[in-house]
């Protein structure tokens, strides 16, 4: 018996058993199923915003968190740039446009060899 | 209390947005200090049209300007205008190439600069320092 046949037989057996249940039991099962389904839907709506509605301080914490994250991104992610490199470049023997030429790098490599 | 917390949250968000605008750091020429205006005088006319990021970099240059010898201040002033009129990509290439040059030994740097001057028909408009003898 393969997996498909086993599943088919299992479903058939369950259906057969269900048909044999008395009306009162079926009604109780239906009632419980409705309650469970309604409960699931109710819980599905409990996102962060629902909690924020019930707990206003959660919104405040989120705002502070966002603020801190933004500050870290702006200030800590970029390397320290004091402008010294630009000053050296601007006051170098060669003018900056010499360094800006696309082939300077190739030329530099050729001279280095 | 819930109402107060909501108002505080809104206030903090506005403060965060104001902080971000401040971080963007755009400043008008008239808002610069006299020292900054002196250092950046050659680009006064361009200043208010520059993106905040470029202004920020130039203000760092301005900070170091006062410490430079007069001769180098003069060189910087002469080159500043062409520097700000380069595209961001050109400035990026210039910084990268200059960094590569600085990684070489001092003697090699001098040699390369001299060769570049010769190759470009002495395109050196304003020498920042007198040409040095190339070690052979």
């Amino acid at each position: 018996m393969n997996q498909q046949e086993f599943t088919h037989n299992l479903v058939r057996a369950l259906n057969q058993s269900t048909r044999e249940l008395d009306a009162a039991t079926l009604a109780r099962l239906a009632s419980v199923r409705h309650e469970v389904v309604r409960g699931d839907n109710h819980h599905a709506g409990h996102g962060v915003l629902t909690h924020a509605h019930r707990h206003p301080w959660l919104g405040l914490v989120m705002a502070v968190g966002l603020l801190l994250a933004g500050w870290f991104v702006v200030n800590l992610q970029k390397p320290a740039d004091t402008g010294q490199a630009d000053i050296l470049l601007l006051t170098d023997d060669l003018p900056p446009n010499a360094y800006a030429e696309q082939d300077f790098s190739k030329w530099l490599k050729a001279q280095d060899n | 209390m819930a109402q107060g917390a909501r108002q505080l949250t809104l206030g903090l968000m506005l403060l965060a947005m104001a902080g971000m605008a401040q971080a963007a750091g755009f400043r008008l020429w008239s808002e610069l200090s006299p020292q900054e205006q002196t250092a950046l005088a050659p680009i006064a006319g361009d200043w208010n049209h520059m993106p905040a990021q470029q202004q920020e970099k130039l203000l760092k240059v301005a900070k170091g300007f006062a410490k430079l010898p007069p001769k180098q201040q003069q060189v910087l002033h002469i080159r500043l205008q062409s520097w700000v009129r380069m595209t961001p990509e050109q400035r990026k290439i210039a910084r990268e190439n200059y960094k590569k040059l600085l990684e070489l030994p001092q003697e090699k740097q001098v040699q390369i600069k001299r060769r570049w001057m010769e190759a470009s028909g002495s395109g050196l408009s304003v020498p920042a320092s007198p040409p040095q003898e190339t070690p052979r």
Side-chain angles (χ1 to χ4, degrees):
Chain A
M1 188 190 295
N2 64 24
Q3 194 184 346
Q4 239 177 342
E5 281 172 324
F6 174 77
T7 311
H8 179 72
N9 289 340
L10 183 66
V11 169
R12 203 175 51 186
L14 284 171
N15 284 342
Q16 180 68 31
S17 304
T18 310
R19 274 195 294 273
E20 286 167 7
L21 289 173
D22 60 274
T25 310
L26 283 172
R28 278 206 309 276
L29 279 172
S31 161
V32 170
R33 197 178 68 236
H34 281 302
E35 273 182 37
V36 169
V37 170
R38 203 173 54 226
D40 275 355
N41 286 341
H42 184 65
H43 283 291
H46 276 210
V48 175
L49 290 176
T50 312
H51 284 295
H53 177 70
R54 286 205 292 181
H55 309 286
W57 289 105
L58 195 61
L60 182 65
V61 170
M62 281 170 64
V64 172
L66 275 174
L67 191 67
L68 284 175
W71 186 85
F72 273 103
V73 167
V74 170
N75 292 287
L76 299 183
Q77 295 259 311
K78 53 181 184 187
D81 176 14
T82 59
Q84 195 57 34
D86 280 358
I87 291 176
L88 287 172
L89 174 57
L90 285 165
T91 56
D92 189 67
D93 295 329
L94 294 183
N97 54 318
Y99 293 107
E101 287 186 26
Q102 287 278 5
D103 58 345
F104 186 89
S105 183
K106 285 180 202 162
W107 193 83
L108 197 63
K109 214 171 272 180
Q111 298 301 307
D112 195 27
N113 291 331
Chain B
M1 181 171 150
Q3 182 70 18
R6 266 190 219 110
Q7 282 176 350
L8 190 59
T9 305
L10 187 66
L12 264 175
M13 282 178 169
L14 287 173
L15 196 68
M17 283 161 76
M20 280 173 200
Q22 182 72 23
F26 180 84
R27 287 169 68 187
L28 290 169
W29 179 258
S30 56
E31 293 170 346
L32 301 188
S33 70
Q35 289 81 7
E36 288 168 337
Q37 287 190 351
T38 304
L40 304 171
I43 52 167
D46 302 281
W47 184 263
N48 290 345
H49 310 290
M50 281 181 200
Q53 204 182 358
Q54 194 181 0
Q55 287 188 347
E56 197 188 338
K57 279 186 178 290
L58 287 164
L59 285 170
K60 284 173 184 164
V61 170
K63 210 175 252 184
F65 181 81
K67 296 172 200 156
L68 294 174
K71 174 74 184 167
Q72 284 197 314
Q73 288 185 348
Q74 194 190 343
V75 170
L76 194 142
H77 265 179
I78 291 167
R79 291 173 175 174
L80 210 47
Q81 215 165 44
S82 61
W83 176 247
V84 298
R85 285 174 190 179
M86 281 182 189
T87 64
E89 183 60 24
Q90 284 174 317
R91 283 193 293 270
K92 187 176 167 231
I93 292 168
R95 287 187 184 108
E96 284 170 359
N97 282 335
Y98 183 61
K99 198 177 158 205
K100 278 181 202 160
L101 182 83
L102 292 184
E103 283 164 6
L104 299 176
Q106 181 71 29
E107 284 181 8
K108 199 80 189 170
Q109 289 179 33
V110 173
Q111 191 180 345
I112 284 170
K113 284 178 189 178
R114 178 168 284 278
R115 283 188 191 167
W116 180 266
M117 288 176 214
E118 287 166 3
S120 61
S122 191
L124 190 63
S125 52
V126 186
S129 58
Q132 297 171 43
E133 280 305 308
T134 308
R136 300 275 176 197

